[in-house]
């Protein structure tokens, strides 16, 4: 609780904005992670510099850099995904459903509230409670 109290209102707003950005992009992160993993598999199977010609398309794999950059990007995505997953496990069922509806499915507050059986106002209270928890559990992940 101390971390939340130490943050100014503007700091807290910024942390929440970053958390919400990551929550809204969660499904995109998961898709990107799978795509990067497939790219790394492909590139590791074709380690030497190769030219694959298919009509006018030629694929060049630069020496070194590209594999390590892809791996670093994949590692960062996996860190964010796993951090969100762990944080979600610490939330109540209602809080998890709120995150799923509001951020993963990108529903409006009104639609989310209706599906949860809450008023819009009550859902804002839930949102604030969830954000307080996520500020603590996601910590520096929000800075990525």
């Amino acid at each position: 609780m101390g971390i939340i109290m130490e943050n100014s209102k503007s700091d807290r707003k910024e942390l929440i904005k970053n958390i919400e950005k990551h929550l809204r992009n969660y499904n995109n992160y998961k898709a990107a992670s799978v795509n990067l993993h497939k790219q790394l598999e492909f590139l590791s199977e074709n380690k030497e510099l190769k030219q694959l010609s298919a009509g006018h398309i030629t694929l060049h794999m630069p020496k070194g850099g590209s594999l390590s950059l892809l791996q670093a990007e994949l590692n960062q995505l996996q860190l964010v995904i796993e951090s969100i997953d762990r944080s979600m496990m610490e939330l109540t069922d209602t809080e998890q459903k709120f995150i799923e509806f509001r951020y993963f499915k990108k529903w409006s507050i009104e639609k989310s509230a209706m599906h949860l059986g809450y008023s819009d106002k009550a859902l804002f209270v839930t949102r604030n409670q969830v954000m307080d928890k996520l500020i603590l559990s996601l910590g520096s992940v929000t800075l990525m």
Side-chain angles (χ1 to χ4, degrees):
M1 191 77 168
I3 293 174
I4 294 170
M5 296 176 91
E6 291 172 17
N7 289 322
S8 69
K9 272 190 172 182
S10 63
D11 288 344
R12 185 177 188 282
K13 269 186 165 178
E14 192 62 32
L15 288 169
I16 289 172
K17 183 177 162 184
N18 287 331
I19 289 169
E20 288 180 324
K21 176 192 77 169
H22 287 299
L23 293 174
R24 282 188 189 101
N25 285 306
Y26 177 78
N27 290 322
N28 294 328
Y29 293 159
K30 289 177 78 171
S33 177
V34 170
N35 291 338
L36 281 169
H37 182 73
K38 292 291 184 190
Q39 288 174 354
L40 282 166
E41 276 181 6
F42 174 79
L43 291 173
S44 65
E45 290 169 1
N46 298 285
K47 283 192 180 194
E48 310 99 39
L49 182 62
K50 291 183 178 182
Q51 290 185 348
L52 301 174
S53 296
H56 297 287
I57 299 171
T58 305
L59 171 67
H60 294 277
M61 187 177 90
K63 291 183 182 177
S66 107
L67 270 177
S68 60
L69 287 174
L70 286 176
Q71 187 62 55
E73 187 176 346
L74 177 61
N75 291 345
Q76 183 178 12
L77 279 171
Q78 287 177 334
L79 172 66
V80 173
I81 292 166
E82 291 168 6
S83 297
I84 290 171
D85 289 344
R86 273 190 302 277
S87 295
M88 288 287 290
M89 289 189 299
E90 298 303 315
L91 301 176
T92 67
D93 288 343
T94 300
E95 291 169 338
Q96 288 178 14
K97 286 178 184 171
F98 167 73
I99 295 293
E100 179 185 338
F101 295 158
R102 182 73 178 119
Y103 299 105
F104 297 169
K105 292 184 176 183
K106 298 179 175 106
W107 288 1
S108 68
I109 284 287
E110 295 80 14
K111 184 175 180 178
S112 301
M114 186 177 69
H115 275 74
L116 289 169
Y118 282 77
S119 69
D120 296 359
K121 187 175 181 179
L123 203 55
F124 276 110
V125 171
T126 299
R127 175 198 172 268
N128 288 332
Q129 291 169 342
V130 168
M131 289 303 144
D132 287 344
K133 290 178 180 182
L134 295 179
I135 286 170
L136 291 172
S137 64
L138 289 176
S140 63
V141 172
T142 63
L143 304 175
M144 295 181 155

